[in-house]
Amino acid sequence: MAEDSNRGECSTSPKRMRLDTDPNSTIPEFLTNCDDYQLFKLTKFYRDRLEQAMEGRVDGVSLLLTNKRIFTGQEHRKVTELVDKGNRADSSKLLLRLVMGKGSRARRVMWESFVRMCHGVPKLNKILKEIQELGADPIDYMDIARGLSELSSQLKDLQQKHKETLRVQTETLRVNTILIKEKVKIFQLVDRYAELTVISSVRDRRLVEHELLARGRDHEKWREKHLRRELEKIRPDQLFQSSFSQRKSKSGNSAAVSGVPGIGKTTMVQKIVYDWATGKIYPHFQFVFSFKFRDLNTINGRINLRKLISDQYPYFGNILGELWKNPEGLLFIFDGLDEFKDTIDFADNRRNTEPQSMCTDPEFRCGVSDIVYSLIQHKLLPGCSVLVTSRPTALHLLEKAEISVWAEILGFVGDERKKYFNKFFEDQTVAAAVFKHVEENEILYTMCYNPSYCWILALSLGPFFTQRDRNRQQVPKTITQLYSYYIYNILKNHGRESGNPRDVLLKLGEMAYTGVSKKKIVFRNGDLIEYNLQSSQFLSGFLMELLERDDSAQSVVYTFPHLTIQEFVAALTQFLTPDPREIGKLLSEAHSEEDGRFEIFLRFVAGLSSPQSARPLEEFLGPFLHHTTCRVIDWVKEKVEGQIGNAETETGKRNLLNKFHYLFESQNRALAQNTVGSMKTLSFRGLRLTPIDCVVLSHVIGLCDTIKHLDLEECHIRGEGLRRLGPVLHKCQGLRLDRNNVGDSGVKVLSAALRNPDCKIQALRLYDNALTDSCAEDLASALSTNHSLIDLNLGENKLGDSGVKRLSVALRNPDCKIQKLHLNGNDLTDSCAEDLVSALSTNCSLIDLDLGYNKLGDSGVKRLSVALRNPDCKIQELDLSENALSDSCAEDLASALCTNQSLRVLNLELNSFTDQSVPALRRLIQTCRSLERIELWDNQFSPNGERQLESLQESRSGLAVLVSTFEFR
């Protein structure tokens, strides 16, 4: 129905109008001047971009449409339910689908909402400015599929042959590898290809460097923030015939796709060609021709376009002349501009004036660079489309080119990483295990935005997770061990090519260390010369695996594949240098830098002191210097011991955690026991901990038998972090885990610790942890067998009546040792009162019960009074604050507690008691001789009622009656 109504709207629309685009007019005025038909076309034309732009504000747009009676309440709920589940992209798609089915008024209201919010939504603002600049009618400037002439039968046969040829050429993926015996592995493209995030712009080099320096979750949040707010996604099939074109041209379109080394540019080109050949994308292109610049480098002298094509696709023969007649149906792809040996200067005006530099005829013989230049600039076969890929360092060559769409491959974002590993491994169990290992390590997780790093990690880690090897090999425990394994495989496959790998790594490491100290990640020929490294060594293959060379017209630059590889090589050098006397000074200077530049470097240094990390490398590099190893161990011991007594501030806690990382990387049991063996309390309260931080803490606590109290309140560890701590939790007497969102899955981990026969946990705080009744069964089971726990805080969760019902089973167990139980703020009602009564009637250990901030009501407290009246009830502290209590339950409560001679503290604040309950409360206070404190703040007593209650303080020494009501203070 929606599509039919839209078609009807289009067919009866007024004649196409051009909006007056006065640059001084405002966007609201602009929108007012748009007719319904123009808004319909604009919505369809910008639909993909609007879906992205709206994601952050989709619930607000939906609410406005609901308030305007365009959406029903049910439709609004459907949109917002997706938002609540985190599916903002799906929510945005749904909203636009609903709007397009509602007609012109819905679209106008939606666009009006865009105008209101555009200044806070960069993507929306960009779209509105484009429309204001270009006009309200997209037909005037959009890249629509051109009316291509029907192919002759001869060309149809040729097209079919060409598609079949390209399909065969592109259906398999050949991957070079240094980590296994085969030099090349071959896979089916569709089985291995993972979708990459591509953005419709090219980022500033500074942003790329910032990304390289960011790590772990911070790196992912940084990427997602920019992607959500400013960077627009673009699919490969949108590079042409889309609303993303920044330059409108009637003579054809050129697109440029940029990406760092290993990000997947060539593989993306292969997928584009394969998808065209199999009829999935670009149906308006009749023929696609794909070239690699590295292949074009072999062409010497002059050549024409006919020869260029026929050399690669000889079956075209003399038919190419027919293709020249319809250039709109042609797409030329040139992959790897940064690898081209010739210079193409689009800023050179001589190309436009000197005939020998122009190539306007496909039969004209000229240089390859002239052909490429003329195709991109639409001087040769005007109307055709061109796609160019390049590393960022060569993009400056295209600044003056006629490029319509600029795009950059960001790589993997979010779940795209996981999908890669799922495709890499046939065994999904292995895929899940490898990805989990990567996900839990902040450094590895950062690297995985790049498919080439994913490939390295999958090959490095895969063997450790196969069923056959599981019992014989152990997964690298530390990042140092993993990187040692990575370098080991490079040395194993390319070490002989270098002649003296120790000497090469020593020089390379010195350069790497200087780069780390100066925050420098890009090196030039001058840097290589300074450290006696020869660029000719790149021909060997050894250095090519450690450094990536990037040639551009202006200079040659070198980068390590990732900052952490640079840091590792810099650390490795310290164990290869023939003069280790300065190692102590170097480590101290690196440690004194407070901006974190040496943080990972120092972890690697500590890790390389471990035999497990050093042994595989020593096979090719010779023995590490023993003096250096000993000095590093002494330095780590000194730093850990110095930090243990200085961990009160946030900075102190962070520094202590970093020192624990040194201990973890070193895997030196004696070192850990000698340094932290005397600690009794460990607190990282308020410090955000990653899963790998939790692994490190688990390692340290596991080696230390003296830690009695572990305080991780508000450390954001969640269930996954708690799982990593699971093996050592039973060793601590006090566990403070408040506000960590550990959830029900976290309680499973804790229940296992409580069931451990060696469990020492006496106090467990799980305040505000998103617990539900689903975890109560596990907890009750653990409490029924545990003999150490006496203090359990479950406040501010959502256990509900059903959760308390299950816990009550454990409380009735005579072996249950719980003395303090906090259930405040758990959505409890009078329905759970009978279960509590049953538990309290048999439990002889519980002395402190907090039921505050629930909804027990008068009926719930009346039932509870039955248990409190029992002479065996040992309750000393009872909190019933803010439970919707009134005068109706005062008499029952007083009667029950008058017979109870153990109660010391009673909290009844924030209820609705009035002067009518004063006699009952006075009798309670006078009769319960053990009572030391009763809190009645913020009830509804009159000043006279307050005075009557407060006067009772005088009757007994040490008695506190706190009555003042807020209104009368």
Side-chain angles (χ1 to χ4, degrees), residues 90-366:
D90 291 340
S91 176
S92 188
K93 284 183 172 67
L94 173 61
L95 186 142
L96 267 169
R97 189 165 67 247
L98 290 171
V99 167
M100 291 302 280
K102 296 279 185 180
S104 58
R105 181 167 176 262
R107 286 189 287 275
R108 187 166 293 278
V109 171
M110 180 180 72
W111 279 94
E112 287 172 355
S113 73
F114 293 164
V115 171
R116 293 180 189 178
M117 66 175 63
C118 69
H119 295 296
V121 185
K123 293 181 186 178
L124 273 180
N125 202 31
K126 182 179 178 183
I127 292 171
L128 290 173
K129 284 184 177 179
E130 278 183 22
I131 296 172
Q132 191 175 20
E133 177 186 344
L134 297 167
D137 200 331
I139 297 248
D140 287 343
Y141 57 89
M142 67 190 279
D143 298 321
I144 59 172
R146 305 166 182 87
L148 298 175
S149 58
E150 186 71 19
L151 287 174
S152 64
S153 59
Q154 184 182 24
L155 284 180
K156 278 185 178 178
D157 291 341
L158 182 63
Q159 184 192 60
Q160 195 58 40
K161 179 177 178 62
H162 185 51
K163 284 189 172 183
E164 179 61 20
T165 300
L166 293 181
R167 184 191 67 76
V168 172
Q169 288 178 354
T170 57
E171 67 182 351
T172 57
L173 186 63
R174 297 171 59 85
V175 183
N176 296 319
T177 174
I178 60 165
L179 297 175
I180 48 181
K181 291 181 180 179
E182 301 98 321
K183 290 292 183 183
V184 175
K185 290 283 285 184
I186 299 176
F187 306 98
Q188 290 296 310
L189 178 66
V190 293
D191 293 337
R192 285 297 171 124
Y193 187 78
E195 293 296 332
L196 298 162
T197 293
V198 185
I199 55 173
S200 64
S201 57
V202 177
R203 295 175 299 163
D204 187 290
R205 177 70 198 177
R206 287 170 297 174
L207 285 178
V208 179
E209 291 185 2
H210 180 98
E211 177 173 334
L212 193 58
L213 292 168
R215 289 196 182 88
R217 299 294 170 184
D218 290 337
H219 169 266
E220 184 65 6
K221 286 179 182 177
W222 180 87
R223 287 164 63 82
E224 288 181 347
K225 173 187 173 185
H226 284 274
L227 193 59
R228 185 172 59 251
R229 282 187 50 80
E230 301 159 24
L231 305 177
E232 291 186 275
K233 290 184 182 179
I234 181 172
R235 299 191 309 268
D237 63 316
Q238 295 174 317
L239 292 171
F240 305 97
Q241 196 183 12
S242 77
S243 69
F244 290 96
S245 295
Q246 298 177 12
R247 187 194 299 265
K248 313 302 174 182
S249 172
K250 294 183 179 179
S251 58
N253 290 309
S254 295
V257 176
S258 158
V260 297
I263 204 71
K265 300 182 293 295
T266 298
T267 308
M268 189 180 90
V269 165
Q270 182 177 340
K271 185 66 162 52
I272 286 173
V273 173
Y274 177 80
D275 284 348
W276 176 80
T278 54
K280 294 178 182 175
I281 64 170
Y282 298 150
H284 55 289
F285 290 133
Q286 295 171 341
F287 293 93
V288 172
F289 301 107
S290 180
F291 303 93
K292 288 183 170 67
F293 276 107
R294 66 176 64 171
D295 297 332
L296 298 179
N297 286 338
T298 62
I299 299 174
N300 297 312
R302 302 167 77 81
I303 194 172
N304 60 26
L305 183 59
R306 174 189 292 276
K307 176 70 171 167
L308 195 66
I309 293 174
S310 59
D311 280 353
Q312 188 155 326
Y313 309 104
Y315 46 83
F316 275 90
N318 296 321
I319 303 179
L320 284 170
E322 292 297 311
L323 272 59
W324 308 151
K325 297 177 183 178
N326 193 14
E328 289 84 2
L330 304 178
L331 169 62
F332 293 92
I333 302 176
F334 295 97
D335 181 31
L337 176 63
D338 49 278
E339 298 179 357
F340 194 33
K341 67 178 182 180
D342 295 333
T343 300
I344 308 177
D345 188 357
F346 289 89
D348 188 356
N349 289 326
R350 290 178 300 172
R351 283 189 178 274
N352 298 320
T353 56
E354 296 180 6
Q356 67 269 22
S357 296
M358 280 195 295
C359 180
T360 59
D361 185 345
E363 309 291 338
F364 180 73
R365 294 175 62 82
C366 57

Side-chain angles (χ1 to χ4, degrees), residues 421-439:
F421 286 96
N422 288 342
K423 287 197 171 189
F424 186 94
F425 296 102
E426 292 181 7
D427 186 337
Q428 292 303 290
T429 304
V430 174
V434 171
F435 178 71
K436 193 167 189 61
H437 187 78
V438 168
E439 188 179 30

Side-chain angles (χ1 to χ4, degrees), residues 777 780-781 783-784 803-814 816 835 838-839 842:
E777 196 73 53
S781 171
L783 294 178
S784 297
V804 169
K805 184 181 185 70
R806 293 179 179 131
L807 283 178
S808 296
V809 175
L811 293 173
R812 284 198 297 269
N813 190 313
C816 181
D835 296 295
S838 173
T842 58

Side-chain angles (χ1 to χ4, degrees), residues 33-80:
N33 290 327
C34 280
D35 61 37
D36 292 339
Y37 182 48
Q38 287 171 323
L39 280 184
F40 168 74
K41 287 186 297 182
L42 284 171
T43 308
K44 289 197 73 174
F45 181 61
Y46 282 104
R47 185 164 182 162
D48 287 327
R49 292 177 66 184
L50 289 174
E51 284 178 359
Q52 290 185 54
M54 267 200 309
E55 285 183 14
R57 302 290 184 88
V58 63
D59 36 3
V61 177
S62 179
L63 181 61
L64 179 64
L65 289 163
T66 307
N67 291 339
K68 295 282 188 178
R69 299 181 182 277
I70 292 168
F71 279 5
T72 65
Q74 185 178 9
E75 288 169 333
H76 176 61
R77 280 193 297 276
K78 285 183 177 179
V79 172
T80 53

